[in-house]
């Protein structure tokens, strides 16, 4: 009985994996879902158990220089990804409406495959957001939504990129990386120290940029439901993108109201941190995307809402958006 069930499970697994675009197979971590799943499981193990135990009797690491390099590196990487998305279709052959995945081996199609993979791989790099929190003992930033965004979202994006590297489903990835250019630039300046605080007066507008991202993503996905015909090959991806964009729009709208309409600007611990001159703490909140305070959001993306998070705690991440 167990052997039969195991055989059926393997058949389903083989069927699902067989749907991965063969053009992606040569790229690192794309041949099978096992390696990337192992990375994400180790991430969870480190963040939830190993890291806190390692830091329990140690002083927080400062990591100022490392965070400055990390954030500005992601600024450069995000700019490159946006440019590649534009040159691979969005400024060349795409209509910005019903754009199917180009499954050919044309130079432009292969360029889109490459940048789609790079977008996903950037989410693996962004796991360092949480690693920095752990090593700096910023446990207040490690909320449920943050961990969810940084682990589950890259896992689902692996399948999305694997099945549909390009087409209208890639719009949210391009927009997400555009937002990350601004976000990581902000975090980089924040990590650089108090002397840069005078240049960070636009923090409030980070949330507005996030809201704009979710509006654009949801509107672009919504048009699919009103098109008479559309040959985009993976409608389920459009459905998930619409749900994702709408959910985080509601989440960030609530934060905007609490922070800038009702005046509930910062949680107590963050007010105290800012009074102590802990400017580096500003690099903390990232709701991802893949969606959450900073991330979403690549970011959505994560990102997203902490990019991404947990009850009242996720607002501490969103404030940095």
């Amino acid at each position: 009985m167990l052997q039969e069930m195991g055989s059926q499970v393997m058949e389903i697994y083989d069927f699902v994996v067989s749907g991965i675009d063969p053009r992606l197979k040569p790229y690192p971590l794309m041949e099978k879902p096992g390696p990337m799943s192992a990375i994400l499981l180790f991430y969870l193990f480190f963040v939830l158990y190993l890291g806190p135990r390692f830091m329990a009797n140690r002083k927080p690491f400062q990591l100022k220089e490392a965070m400055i390099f990390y954030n500005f590196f992601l600024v450069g990487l995000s700019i490159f990804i946006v440019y590649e998305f534009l040159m691979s279709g969005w400024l060349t052959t795409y209509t910005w409406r019903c754009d199917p995945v180009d499954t050919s081996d044309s130079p432009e199609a292969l360029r889109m495959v490459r940048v789609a993979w790079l977008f996903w791989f950037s989410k693996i790099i962004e796991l360092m957001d949480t690693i920095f929190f752990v090593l700096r003992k910023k446990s207040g930033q490690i909320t449920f939504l943050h961990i969810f965004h940084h682990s589950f979202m890259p896992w689902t994006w692996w399948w999305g990129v694997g099945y549909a590297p390009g087409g209208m489903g890639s719009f949210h990835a391009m927009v997400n990386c555009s937002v990350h250019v601004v976000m990581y630039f902000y975090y980089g300046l924040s990590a650089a120290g108090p002397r840069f605080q005078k240049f960070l007066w636009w923090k409030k507008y980070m949330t507005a940029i996030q809201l704009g991202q979710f509006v654009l993503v949801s509107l672009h996905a919504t048009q699919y439901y009103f098109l008479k015909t559309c040959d985009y090959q993976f409608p389920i991806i459009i459905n998930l993108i619409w749900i994702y964009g709408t959910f985080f729009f509601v989440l960030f709208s609530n934060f905007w109201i609490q922070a800038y309409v009702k005046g509930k600007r910062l949680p107590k611990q963050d007010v105290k941190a800012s009074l102590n001159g802990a400017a580096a703490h500003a690099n903390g909140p990232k709701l991802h995307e893949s969606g959450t305070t900073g991330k979403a959001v690549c970011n959505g993306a994560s990102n997203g809402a902490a990019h991404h998070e947990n009850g009242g705690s996720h607002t501490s991440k969103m404030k940095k958006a």
Side-chain angles (χ1 to χ4, degrees):
M1 181 68 175
L2 291 177
Q3 184 176 2
E4 183 179 349
M5 289 180 61
S7 178
Q8 292 177 344
V9 169
M10 288 306 300
E11 287 182 10
I12 294 174
Y13 170 81
D14 291 337
F15 173 76
V16 172
V17 172
S18 68
I20 300 298
D21 193 310
R23 298 173 299 175
L24 276 161
K25 296 294 179 70
Y27 285 87
L29 303 175
M30 291 305 299
E31 186 172 2
K32 301 283 186 182
M36 69 88 181
S37 297
I39 290 174
L40 295 175
L41 286 174
F42 179 78
Y43 162 80
L44 291 174
F45 176 68
F46 179 86
V47 169
L48 298 177
Y49 179 77
L50 185 61
R53 285 181 63 88
F54 174 76
M55 294 299 300
N57 298 316
R58 290 178 170 81
K59 293 182 179 181
F61 292 100
Q62 296 305 310
L63 303 175
K64 177 180 177 180
E65 291 76 13
M67 290 195 302
I68 293 173
F69 172 81
Y70 169 75
N71 283 296
F72 284 111
F73 169 78
L74 284 176
V75 169
L77 180 62
S78 297
I79 290 174
F80 177 75
I81 291 174
V82 172
Y83 174 78
E84 287 297 295
F85 270 125
L86 290 172
M87 294 299 102
S88 300
W90 289 101
L91 277 187
T92 55
T93 59
Y94 281 18
T95 65
W96 295 68
R97 301 199 70 190
C98 178
D99 296 298
V101 178
D102 183 350
T103 58
S104 73
D105 288 328
S106 70
E108 190 173 67
L110 293 178
R111 190 175 185 178
M112 178 62 80
V113 169
R114 182 184 68 179
V115 71
W117 171 83
L118 188 58
F119 166 74
W120 172 79
F121 189 72
S122 72
K123 302 310 170 188
I124 298 298
I125 297 174
E126 289 170 9
L127 296 179
M128 286 301 300
D129 288 358
T130 324
I131 305 302
F132 280 130
F133 289 157
V134 172
L135 296 179
R136 296 169 62 228
K137 301 186 83 166
K138 299 293 183 180
S139 58
Q141 304 296 336
I142 307 174
T143 63
F144 169 78
L145 276 177
H146 176 89
I147 295 174
F148 175 82
H149 178 86
H150 281 76
S151 56
F152 185 73
M153 294 308 295
W155 192 85
T156 58
W157 276 328
W158 186 92
W159 294 98
V161 167
Y163 271 84
M168 67 183 299
S170 65
F171 178 78
H172 81 291
M174 182 177 65
V175 173
N176 179 250
C177 284
S178 300
V179 171
H180 277 199
V181 172
V182 180
M183 281 182 6
Y184 280 109
F185 180 72
Y186 177 91
Y187 298 142
L189 289 180
S190 298
R195 67 184 181 280
F196 289 95
Q197 292 304 302
K198 62 183 178 181
F199 301 113
L200 300 178
W201 53 267
W202 43 282
K203 179 181 73 173
K204 173 180 179 180
Y205 301 100
M206 293 282 286
T207 305
I209 292 172
Q210 287 282 4
L211 287 169
Q213 170 187 204
F214 302 132
V215 170
L216 285 175
V217 168
S218 294
L219 286 177
H220 182 262
T222 298
Q223 67 174 329
Y224 174 81
Y225 304 111
F226 296 94
L227 294 171
K228 291 183 177 180
T229 59
C230 181
D231 54 355
Y232 181 69
Q233 301 95 320
F234 305 99
I236 188 173
I237 292 179
I238 298 301
N239 296 332
L240 291 174
I241 289 173
W242 189 90
I243 293 172
Y244 180 82
T246 302
F247 171 75
F248 282 116
F249 176 79
V250 172
L251 189 63
F252 272 79
S253 294
N254 178 66
F255 167 73
W256 179 276
I257 292 172
Q258 297 300 320
Y260 302 115
V261 177
K262 295 185 178 180
K264 299 176 182 179
R265 300 281 308 224
L266 300 173
K268 292 181 180 179
Q269 66 267 26
D270 292 320
V271 172
K272 182 178 179 181
S274 60
L275 290 175
N276 288 335
H281 177 65
N283 183 47
K286 296 177 181 178
L287 286 175
H288 215 81
E289 188 223 295
S290 182
T292 329
T293 271
K295 300 193 147 228
V297 130
C298 209
N299 263 174
S302 137
N303 97 239
H307 91 51
H308 285 114
E309 322 282 46
N310 175 29
S313 303
H314 74 268
T315 57
S316 72
K317 284 183 162 287
M318 288 192 292
K319 71 178 186 295
K320 306 294 186 181

